[in-house]
Amino acid sequence: MGDYPSRAGPYSGQGSSANLADILERVLDKGIVIAGDIQINLLDIELLTIKLRLLIASVDKAKEMGIDWWEHDPSLSSRASEGSRSLREENRRLRAEIEALREGEELPRAEDEEEDEDVYEEANEEADEEEAPPAAARRPSHTSRTSRPARTARTKRAEPGPRRKRRDEP
Amino acid sequence: MTEAITYAYAVAQDAEGSLEEALSGLPGVADGPVHLVRAGHRGEVVVAVGPVPEQDFEENALRAHLEDLDWLESVARAHHRVIEALAARTTVLPLRLATVYLDDERVRQMLDARQEAFAERLSVLAAHTEWGVKIYVEAPAATDRPAAPPSDADLSPGRAYLSHRKAQRHAREDAYREAEQVAQRVEAAARSYAVDRVQHRVQQGELARGPGENVINDAYLVPLEYGESFRADVLRSAEGLPGVRVEVTGPWAPYSFATPPEAEPLKRAAP
């Protein structure tokens, strides 16, 4: 192929001078994987790569979270720790709301909700205690496993549920 | 004298038939010679291979060796050396380190089975190179900062310490914010040249020890003719922001792009 004349130039820069971390990253983690006859098989290579990440790159976050991942890492930014706390809270609230909406479709009656709440309280203290719980109680006992703030969210839920219903039926 | 088995380095396009010559005299893994395996008689797609001592590359030994960083480094550098030599001449698809066959004939069978897929990928990567772009935040460390400024003289030691800490923290936050800006600029600059990008894990381990903290570690696939412009433009993106450093490495053989993005995990060679 004739279109490689300029290649020799740029390439000479890399070679043996390249940083070992950069090389290992590429030769171990990139490139085509073909099972050879000597089976340091894929699993082994994966394990090895994981081990090497301790040497090279132990954090997968940049990839997962995009370029602003450090914003969410409390150890890197005090702002982030506040941010992530409120995020966590918001997340909880949103989950609870979704749950509420979901249940709102199926079985919310104001009374049920209260019962619900009571069982929830108990379940929260002694999750193992309940035997043959009524169908309505089953769900809360799951929720109890998450954490307390969910409860406040649930308390809120008791109102929006029915109200929403009403709005839907003019 | 121990038996030799076959270590496979890379798949390459050998349109002119001149690759063999490029490899002569080049020490491969375990200082062994490197030669080419061809499929059939007219294949332009070849596999670069070389003999390695069986005792070092049979399963258990290999597993043990791979834990040995010195051994690993020498194999990795040799592997890379061969791939670079090929990449200087033609398009290559690097194989992952330590792809080992019983003999050349087994490599030929593998090549026969996959020749078309290889050829297809080679044509996509022809006349492209890979560039690495890393962004580092050089957040001021505690020791980098001057002792408490004079205005702190009125403060009690405790308050002085706290205000000092606060200033440090702000400096760090600024640095991360700047890094984010740089990342956006780099991406914009890079996109105007690159045809593909993969994001690698950030380098954070012992080997990556260096000034600053690596927050972006990407690879871009760039047409050969834009390589230098790519490098220059990307480096320019960090100008004026002293807390952030951009490092461009390359050109590399297209390690990060050898496997097509949507490739199915592993097609076993047909029997």
Side-chain angles (χ1 to χ4, degrees), chain B residues 46-66:
Chain B
V46 297
V47 183
V49 300
V52 291
E54 184 181 17
Q55 58 181 12
D56 282 341
F57 285 84
E58 56 88 22
E59 194 170 338
N60 289 328
L62 190 51
R63 198 174 294 146
H65 278 319
L66 288 171

Side-chain angles (χ1 to χ4, degrees), chain B residues 6-196:
Chain B
T6 298
Y7 183 106
Y9 296 89
V11 177
Q13 180 88 34
D14 187 23
E16 295 166 338
S18 67
L19 277 189
E20 194 90 49
E21 167 201 16
L23 294 171
S24 76
L26 184 76
V29 168
D31 281 329
V34 184
H35 63 276
L36 300 176
V37 164
R38 284 170 203 280
H41 32 272
R42 55 155 286 277
E44 287 187 358
V45 179
V46 297
V47 183
V49 300
V52 291
E54 184 181 17
Q55 58 181 12
D56 282 341
F57 285 84
E58 56 88 22
E59 194 170 338
N60 289 328
L62 190 51
R63 198 174 294 146
H65 278 319
L66 288 171
E67 307 273 343
D68 171 355
L69 192 59
D70 290 336
W71 189 90
L72 183 64
E73 173 169 5
S74 78
V75 171
R77 286 197 185 279
H79 182 92
H80 181 60
R81 184 163 60 229
V82 171
I83 283 163
E84 290 285 280
L86 293 166
R89 295 274 187 129
T90 184
T91 313
V92 298
L93 304 176
L95 299 182
R96 197 179 283 198
L97 191 84
T99 306
V100 185
Y101 289 85
L102 293 175
D103 53 37
D104 288 7
E105 183 49 37
R106 294 281 300 156
V107 176
R108 189 169 294 114
Q109 287 168 16
M110 179 276 288
L111 179 55
D112 271 335
R114 296 166 178 253
Q115 197 169 11
E116 274 173 35
F118 288 152
E120 202 180 303
R121 194 61 194 159
L122 282 167
S123 76
V124 171
L125 296 176
H128 286 74
T129 54
E130 172 177 333
W131 292 81
V133 176
K134 283 181 280 185
I135 300 179
Y136 294 88
V137 173
E138 298 182 321
T143 49
D144 289 351
R145 296 190 68 79
S151 63
D152 281 359
D154 300 342
L155 299 174
S156 69
R159 280 173 187 273
Y161 172 78
L162 287 177
S163 80
H164 182 61
R165 292 281 297 169
K166 198 169 156 197
Q168 269 178 25
R169 214 170 55 209
H170 285 320
R172 277 178 69 84
E173 284 176 19
D174 287 348
Y176 284 108
R177 239 190 317 273
E178 284 171 5
E180 204 171 344
Q181 270 181 44
V182 170
Q184 282 163 9
R185 287 193 222 160
V186 163
E187 196 181 329
R191 272 190 194 289
S192 62
Y193 300 105
V195 298
D196 202 355

Side-chain angles (χ1 to χ4, degrees), chain A residues 7-122:
Chain A
R7 258 207 171 162
Y11 255 94
S12 55
Q14 265 316 295
S16 57
S17 67
N19 171 314
L20 180 59
D22 286 346
I23 292 182
L24 286 180
E25 176 176 273
R26 284 176 168 79
V27 300
L28 283 170
D29 213 9
K30 311 296 161 201
I32 299 183
V33 177
I34 299 173
D37 290 332
I38 307 297
Q39 293 275 320
I40 272 294
N41 60 33
L42 282 184
L43 185 62
D44 291 328
I45 291 281
E46 290 311 322
L47 286 176
L48 172 73
T49 320
I50 288 165
K51 275 184 206 156
L52 277 159
R53 267 172 214 152
L54 299 176
L55 290 173
I56 305 167
S58 52
V59 174
D60 215 355
K61 286 182 181 165
K63 194 174 174 184
E64 286 169 14
M65 303 182 72
I67 57 170
D68 64 340
W69 60 270
W70 56 84
E71 292 282 324
H72 308 289
D73 187 335
S75 67
L76 293 175
S77 149
S78 57
R79 190 162 42 93
S81 66
E82 286 153 29
S84 71
R85 205 179 307 130
S86 61
L87 265 184
R88 226 174 292 139
E89 233 130 70
E90 189 180 10
N91 194 359
R92 249 178 232 136
R93 191 172 53 75
L94 289 174
R95 275 172 200 274
E97 269 174 24
I98 289 169
E99 181 90 339
L101 289 175
R102 206 177 279 140
E103 289 182 14
E105 309 279 276
E106 306 163 7
L107 40 88
R109 296 297 87 90
E111 312 95 69
D112 287 4
E113 291 292 341
E114 302 238 304
E115 244 182 72
D116 227 278
E117 211 60 48
D118 291 340
V119 179
Y120 178 74
E121 296 275 3
E122 280 171 34

